[in-house]
Amino acid sequence: MTPEAPPRRFHIRVDRALTHPQVLSLLDEHLAGMRAASPPECVFALDLNGLRRPEITFLTAWRLPPDAAPGADPEAVGELVAMGALKELTPTTATEGGHGELKSMRTSARHLRQGAAQAILTELLTLARERGYARVSLETGSTPAFEPAIAMYRRFGFVECGPFADYRKDPFSRFMDLLT
């Protein structure tokens, strides 16, 4: 069950290059946050090279200033508010739905609780459904810092599950699944 989509306050786009300074800055914020909240061996966040892999689709959410001209390019005049990625673990075939994994979900610290993460997650799940994925999974942290994200995933219908793909059970990871 997906919550009602937030109003289209954000311009969400696929980013294949990952070269915009704001994207690099938010990725640095994300990696620093993951390293601060978990032991090094339990940080599974993707770096720049990991996000550029062909099985990854990376999305960014931008907010335009109120005085932006109609049709203005969000990357030229806007502010990056959030990012997220979908990794293909198993492709969809003629007989079976595929399996995707959410990666690198992050909202800029300046834009928390404004609906940007929900907007990115909605777009990623739409993409997963378009690709015919039967299942979308995620790994997130287990410390209190991750509780707001876990609550959002639950609102979207994700439920706790065991490790998937190459993950192993550890006290700093929580695993969740959504059957699409």
Side-chain angles (χ1 to χ4, degrees), residues 23-107:
V23 172
L24 299 176
S25 178
L26 185 55
L27 180 58
D28 285 345
E29 179 184 326
H30 176 60
L31 293 171
M34 296 301 98
R35 290 181 188 121
S38 300
E41 68 275 9
C42 297
V43 174
F44 302 108
L46 296 176
D47 62 10
L48 190 59
N49 290 330
L51 289 169
R52 287 182 173 151
R53 296 185 53 84
E55 66 272 17
I56 303 286
T57 302
F58 184 75
L59 301 182
T60 54
W62 299 81
R63 179 175 284 144
L64 289 173
D67 60 348
D73 178 9
E75 290 184 26
V77 300
E79 185 176 9
L80 179 65
V81 294
M83 65 182 195
L86 182 63
K87 178 180 181 180
E88 182 169 272
L89 298 175
T90 307
T92 299
T93 67
T95 58
E96 291 188 37
H99 183 192
E101 178 185 3
L102 295 179
K103 297 293 293 181
S104 300
M105 290 285 298
R106 185 64 167 208
T107 301

